Each structure stands twice: as C-alpha cells, then as structure tokens.
Amino acid sequence: MLLNSNYVINEKLPSTNWHLKENTRDHHTSKFSSKELIVRRGQAFVVTFSGIEQPDQNLTFIAETGPKPSKQAKTQATFGISSTVSKENWSAVLQSTSSNSASIAISSPANAVIGRYKLSVQSTSSGSSSPATLGTFVLLFNPWSSGDDVFMSNKAECEEYVLEEFGIIFSGNTHHINSFGWNFGQFQGDILNICLSMLDRSLNYRQDPATDVSHRNDPKYLGRVLSAMVNGNDDQGVVLGNWSGNYEGGKSPSSWTGSGEILQNWKKSGFKPVRYGQCWVFAAVLTTVLRCLGIPTRTITNFSSAHDADGNLRVDEFYDASGNHLERGADSVWNFHVWNESWFSRSDLGPSYSGWQILDATPQEESGGIYQCGPASRNAIKEGDVELDYDCPFVFAEVNADRMYWNYDPATGKKTLIFSKTTTIGQFISTKAVGRDDRVDVTSDYKYEEGSRKERDIFKKAHLNLILVLANLHKLIDSHELSLAAMATGLSSQAQHKRKTLILGMKLCSLIKVFTISFFFFLSEKHFPVKISYAEYQQQLTTDNTIQITALCHVEGGIQVLVQRDITLDNPAIDIQVLGEAKVNKEVDVEVVFTNPINAEVMDCVLQVEEVPSSCYQKYINQNIDMDDFDLNTEMTQNFLLAHSFKPAFHLN
C-alpha cells in the first residue's frame, strides 16, 4: 500500500546519509574496508536523504542492478512507501522526517539478486521525468536470515564460515597429516570489488549478461560459476595450475600464504591468470570469494583422493611384468586433494539434499564443457545418489572409488587384474574446527564406515546406477532386420523410482537411427527390444560391415550413462558350383547362387573373381602334382584355394 509521504524531491541532487556504522553493524558487514554501504538481503537498512520540499505527493524508489535492469528478470524493483515490510518484494517504510529530509528503512526480499545496486527516488509532483540518484550500495547473501537459501542457524558457524578471515588447511598423506595457515582476507580493501569483477568476467556473463545477472540470487548458480572462474583454464580466471615442479615465470604454489595477494595480482595484471596454484590454492581463493559474497564456505581435505577420469567409479593402475608402474590411462590417486563445501539449500533436489554442497575449483575434468565442479550435495554422495546434479559421480569416486591394480602386457595389449582394494580411497577427510585451530574428521559425513556392509551397498547402488548393458546383438544372417536389446540394471529401491530416458543410437558413418524410451525404473532390470530394418541402414553401411550401437541412459536431472558395442554383419552366403570338368587353361562353366535376404530388389550387383597367380601353383609342382589334375572340384584344390584366401567377394550396392 502506498501512503502519502507529503514530500517530493528537490530538483537538485539530494544529499544521502547511508548510516554506514549502524547498517554495517546490523548486517555483519562492518569488517569490510569500504566507504560504500554493504548490506545483506532480506534485512532492512536505513537511508536518510535531504533536499526535500513539501508538496503533497508520493515517493517512488527504484533499485536496479546489472547492465539491463528489468522487473521481469528481478534486476529492477520499483516500490513506494508502505506501512509494513514486505518479505516477498522490495519495500520502503518511513522511519522519520524533518523539514527537508526523510529517513527510510529499505528492505529487499530474501531471494533478491546480489550485487551492486543503484538506488534512485522519484516524485511525480516535481515535474521531472528522471529519478534522482541517491547512490549505490552492495547487496550480499544473508546466512543470518531464515528466508535466505544460505541461512545457517548456528551463529558460531556463521562467524567461522562467513566472517573468519584466517583459517587452517590440511595436507600431507594418510600417515602424516600436516597443516598450514591461510589468510582468506575476504574483507581486505578492494577484494569485494574484485569478487564482483569475477562474476562480470565469467563465460556466462559474456554470453548473456542480463540473464547471468538475473541468476545471481541462486547460490548454487554462483558457486558453479565461481568454481570455473577461480581456475584460469577456460575463461582467463584467477589462478593457473601447475603440477610440473617447474614454476618459472610465476611463484611456487606452496609460497602463497593468503588469497588477497593472488586476487590483487589478478586485477593488476589486467585479469590474466596468476601463476601458479595447486588444489589448496584454488580452494582457498574460492573460500575467500564465497565468504566475501556471504555464502558460508570452508575448505575440505581428502586424503588418498581418487581422480576417476573415465567415470566408472574405480581407479585403474597398470604395471608391467617387472612391477614397473605404467603411465596408461588418466586415472590417478593424489596423496591429498582440497576442495570446498558451501552451505545452502537445494530446492532443485529436495530438502534432504540441502546443507553442505561440494564445489571444486581445481581443473580436473570438464563439466558442461568447461572446468568446473559442483555443487554436489554431500548427502547425495553419502547415499550414493550419483544421478543427481551436479558432478556427483566424480565426487563420489574421489572419496569412495575402488582401486584396481592391473598387469598389462604392451606386446599383446592384454590386461590381467592383479588385485583390488576397496578401503584405501577417501581417508581422514578433514576441515578446521569451529572457533578452534583443531582438525575435525568429517569422513563419516561422506560415507558409511569403510568396508562395512552399508558402505558396500551404497557403492553398489552408485555403481549400478551407472550400468547400462547392450545385450542380444544378433548378426544379420537370414533376416533383413537387425535385432538388439538394451538392458538397464539397477537396484530395486524407493530411491530408484525416478524417471529415466533411454536413448539408443545406431552409428555407421553418422548417426542415422535414434530411439528414445522414457520409463520409470521400478525394477532391478528392464529390457528394451529394438529392431532396425535394412532400409534404415543400407545407405550408411560401409565395406567393413561394422555397426556401432550406442545406448545412452539419461536420468532426469542427473547423469548420463553411455555404453557402446560394435557388431559385424555377416555377408549372405554365396554358393559356387562348377558345372562340368574343370581343367587348367580350359574354360569351365560356374554357377553362382545367392539368396537375397532383404525385402527389396537388389540392383547393380558385382561378382568379383580373383585369378589365382601362377606362383601359387608352385606347391603343386613341387609336390609333383600334374597340373592337369588341378581340378576345382577336388577337395584338395578347394582347401588349397581357401587356405590362400582366394575367395570370391560379393558386394551389394
């Protein structure tokens, strides 16, 4: 409801008092080194502006952010003075007035877009069509507000994961855990501006600035964007990784002690990636940025951390017969790996998946075409729900992959499983204690007790969610149809009662046939018979007669599982009968019989007959066989010709 304020704005630019001390104290932003007002969404702040005359008229405020503010994108809000604060929309409540000034309590909704806003005010009676600018302020996430997605009820945890500037990161190995301090410095001068610059330099922003800004109300969106921006692989992000041991042209990753210098150097260089970083540097910088924007965040160290490059939930290591490790395959195990957990709700997945979400800025594998990872729900990882967004299979493997040791023979290409270990990956998962410099082990939050039946059941559940089998692939012999069946396999549990889509593709030179089947996965197995007619693949069939069958299982809102099988189609049989007596250097009649297996007329067929070179007769000459006895009708002669691959080739065009 709009009330008569009895005030209008003077034509001159009004003077604005942002009440920095009071507002920043109430909004937990007093640690920022800034003369600009920094507040948190879902909570009122007071602004006083002067330069007012007193005709009887209404005031209208405009708050806008981004390059193309709009009400539809929720990057622009127009609101008048009301009697009460609105929880769903921007609102302004008159606090006090004097002869030429007014104090207004302005509130944003708890799901407002975060970023730098311009605040303006307008009065219709002033006769001016343009609003007067009061100034700018920065709006952040608010973990102290119950309506915010990042709300954290524990005040001590809010202090630790949002306001604490110094932390401890753990490193080493499972037998010797080290720790070192880190200055996150999220409140240092200009760090907030640099963090906002990171958002404006992301690939998402470059592609569609207005849409990107409109999504900045969502912590999972921002977390994913920033996990990409902290590394410099795709987008001229903050830090360039280097694991070579040669750090010429930059600094050793172990020489950094805080994020502030890194972020400042990034800006000073014209936003070129800072050289160099490794996992703890990426995680520490991401901690700084997310805490700065108001998202509760901490660093997590995983010892014996798996890098499962091929998505099969196992780490394969290869050795030769002498026990030498072979650099074969992209899987690896790191002594330790550091990533982030950020706290926010997951309305896209449901309340059981809210809480700590895993983000990883270290460039390991592409996700969605760029180097980013997460947010993966930690609860989903523990329960093996790897079909959920985002990057759950990769994170699950980091803490729970099976380690497989293979003997590999380079000469034959044969690999033999030596042994496997199921309990070595994901040990002593660690983070700093709240309010203390102690290590807290959070392994039990990621998985059930190692080696326990529950842990193994969860692993099987996660692994079976990834299994899709192509079965019953029949060769084309007497039928013009290609028959195959896909079989999806998983566990029979309530967690599996999700809609899945099976996509079957037949690939020759190009994809020519796609089947899409949508189904609910109630059973432990489900079979999908498919028949493909000759007419659908004849033009694409190549001389090798090989067809690649691809089955892709897509879970709604989850992962895609892909398997492939190659099959070779048999040529139809050709029966050759020699009519009459066959002698060397003498004509003979031969009858070629072919049965057309397809329901279509065969045109322009070619029968290719290869002449036996005279050199092939030498064996018979050496065996004192009379060339006149070289009879095609004899079993001996036919066997000889077959042994030397003298077979007629029949091609259908």
Side-chain angles (χ1 to χ4, degrees), residues 13 26 88 184 255 358 368 430 436 441 457 469 533 565-566:
L13 187 67
D26 295 341
E88 290 77 26
F184 297 115
S255 66
I358 297 147
S430 305
R436 310 189 316 275
D441 193 304
D457 287 345
V469 179
S533 68
R565 288 276 296 275
D566 292 335

Side-chain angles (χ1 to χ4, degrees), residues 109-289:
N111 63 349
V113 169
I114 64 105
R116 178 169 280 110
Y117 279 80
K118 181 177 75 172
L119 183 65
S120 305
V121 65
Q122 186 176 28
S123 173
T124 55
S125 67
S126 66
S128 172
S129 59
S130 300
T133 300
L134 297 178
T136 63
F137 65 94
V138 177
L139 191 68
L140 304 178
F141 291 98
N142 193 351
W144 287 271
S145 172
S146 60
D148 200 304
D149 285 339
V150 303
F151 172 64
M152 182 171 266
S153 60
N154 188 306
K155 305 305 180 187
E157 291 183 346
C158 278
E159 292 281 338
E160 177 73 36
Y161 301 132
V162 180
L163 302 183
E164 182 56 63
E165 294 185 79
F166 298 92
I168 291 177
I169 299 174
F170 298 93
S171 62
N173 56 60
T174 55
H175 303 293
H176 186 75
I177 298 177
N178 300 318
S179 64
F180 56 89
W182 192 273
N183 181 7
F184 297 115
Q186 66 267 32
F187 301 116
Q188 292 178 9
D190 208 32
I191 294 299
L192 176 57
N193 289 328
I194 295 173
C195 293
L196 295 176
S197 295
M198 289 176 64
L199 296 176
D200 290 344
R201 302 187 71 82
S202 71
L203 294 177
N204 299 52
Y205 184 87
R206 295 180 212 173
Q207 293 168 1
D208 189 344
T211 300
D212 171 72
V213 173
S214 71
H215 290 157
R216 293 183 186 177
N217 66 320
D218 186 353
K220 70 176 181 293
Y221 175 81
L222 277 192
R224 188 161 175 81
V225 168
L226 291 170
S227 77
M229 276 303 299
V230 166
N231 70 71
N233 284 54
D234 310 292
D235 43 27
Q236 291 293 295
V238 179
V239 181
L240 188 66
N242 188 338
W243 288 264
S244 69
N246 179 6
Y247 307 118
E248 184 178 352
K251 293 181 62 173
S252 167
S254 60
S255 66
W256 301 109
T257 59
S259 305
E261 182 183 1
I262 295 172
L263 291 167
Q264 295 283 6
N265 288 349
W266 182 59
K267 180 181 179 180
K268 291 176 183 177
S269 69
F271 301 105
K272 296 178 181 178
V274 176
R275 303 168 183 257
Y276 294 100
Q278 291 183 7
C279 63
W280 66 90
V281 179
F282 293 111
V285 172
L286 186 56
T287 299
T288 298
V289 176

Side-chain angles (χ1 to χ4, degrees), residues 239-466:
V239 181
L240 188 66
N242 188 338
W243 288 264
S244 69
N246 179 6
Y247 307 118
E248 184 178 352
K251 293 181 62 173
S252 167
S254 60
S255 66
W256 301 109
T257 59
S259 305
E261 182 183 1
I262 295 172
L263 291 167
Q264 295 283 6
N265 288 349
W266 182 59
K267 180 181 179 180
K268 291 176 183 177
S269 69
F271 301 105
K272 296 178 181 178
V274 176
R275 303 168 183 257
Y276 294 100
Q278 291 183 7
C279 63
W280 66 90
V281 179
F282 293 111
V285 172
L286 186 56
T287 299
T288 298
V289 176
L290 293 174
R291 286 187 182 183
C292 183
L293 297 178
I295 301 176
T297 302
R298 63 187 186 182
T299 60
I300 297 289
T301 301
N302 178 40
F303 293 93
S304 293
S305 185
H307 177 178
D308 175 25
D310 53 12
N312 62 359
L313 302 186
R314 74 185 190 198
V315 177
D316 297 303
E317 299 186 40
F318 297 89
Y319 296 84
D320 63 17
S322 300
N324 299 311
H325 184 266
L326 301 176
E327 295 297 331
R328 177 178 175 80
D331 291 352
S332 60
V333 178
W334 293 353
N335 287 344
F336 73 94
H337 179 50
V338 186
W339 60 67
N340 296 93
E341 285 181 353
S342 291
W343 181 273
F344 48 85
S345 62
R346 292 297 297 269
S347 58
D348 58 323
L349 303 181
S352 61
Y353 299 105
S354 296
W356 289 116
Q357 311 294 320
I358 297 147
L359 295 161
D360 194 345
T362 301
Q364 296 182 81
E365 296 292 327
E366 290 184 349
S367 174
I370 61 176
Y371 284 99
Q372 58 188 351
C373 183
S377 166
R378 194 183 68 181
N379 292 341
I381 300 304
K382 183 171 183 177
E383 297 302 327
D385 296 329
V386 296
E387 74 273 17
L388 302 178
D389 288 341
Y390 295 89
D391 306 307
C392 283
F394 185 81
V395 177
F396 182 90
E398 286 184 302
V399 300
N400 217 3
D402 282 352
R403 201 168 185 173
M404 316 294 286
Y405 297 85
W406 302 87
N407 173 257
Y408 178 75
D409 185 350
T412 63
K414 181 180 180 181
K415 66 177 185 178
T416 305
L417 182 64
I418 306 171
F419 65 94
S420 63
K421 293 182 179 179
T422 63
T423 60
T424 61
I425 298 298
Q427 301 294 306
F428 304 109
I429 305 176
S430 305
T431 192
K432 177 187 175 296
V434 174
R436 310 189 316 275
D437 292 340
D438 299 330
R439 183 183 76 88
V440 175
D441 193 304
V442 294
T443 307
S444 61
D445 294 324
Y446 278 81
K447 56 185 178 180
Y448 292 93
E449 184 180 356
E450 197 70 81
S452 67
R453 181 173 180 178
K454 181 69 172 178
E455 184 269 337
R456 284 290 90 189
D457 287 345
I458 291 296
F459 180 85
K460 292 176 182 178
K461 171 186 175 182
H463 192 265
L464 288 172
N465 280 340
L466 295 174

Side-chain angles (χ1 to χ4, degrees), residues 10-140:
N10 196 307
E11 290 297 323
K12 297 180 180 180
L13 187 67
S15 173
T16 306
N17 181 354
W18 293 101
H19 299 284
L20 293 180
K21 184 177 180 180
E22 297 83 359
N23 284 329
T24 58
R25 177 197 62 210
D26 295 341
H27 285 253
H28 305 278
T29 57
S30 58
K31 290 187 176 182
F32 281 103
S33 302
S34 174
K35 294 181 180 180
E36 186 177 29
L37 178 64
I38 302 168
V39 292
R40 302 189 185 276
R41 64 184 189 178
Q43 184 176 341
F45 62 92
V46 177
V47 57
T48 299
F49 54 94
S50 57
I52 296 178
E53 299 174 0
Q54 297 190 8
D56 187 12
Q57 195 52 257
N58 291 326
L59 297 179
T60 299
F61 295 91
I62 304 101
E64 51 192 5
T65 186
K68 296 180 180 179
S70 72
K71 294 180 180 179
Q72 183 178 6
K74 297 185 178 180
T75 52
Q76 182 187 67
T78 302
F79 52 99
I81 296 178
S82 58
S83 59
T84 58
V85 173
S86 171
K87 292 184 178 180
E88 290 77 26
N89 302 294
W90 287 77
S91 61
V93 176
L94 185 64
Q95 299 291 293
S96 63
T97 62
S98 64
S99 59
N100 68 344
S101 67
S103 293
I104 308 292
I106 295 176
S107 298
S108 64
N111 63 349
V113 169
I114 64 105
R116 178 169 280 110
Y117 279 80
K118 181 177 75 172
L119 183 65
S120 305
V121 65
Q122 186 176 28
S123 173
T124 55
S125 67
S126 66
S128 172
S129 59
S130 300
T133 300
L134 297 178
T136 63
F137 65 94
V138 177
L139 191 68
L140 304 178

Side-chain angles (χ1 to χ4, degrees), residues 474-481 537 568-573 595-598:
H474 301 300
K475 295 180 179 180
L476 181 63
I477 300 177
D478 296 323
S479 172
H480 63 284
E481 289 186 329
Y537 67 80
T568 300
L569 305 182
D570 286 345
N571 278 321
T595 302
N596 183 7
I598 62 176

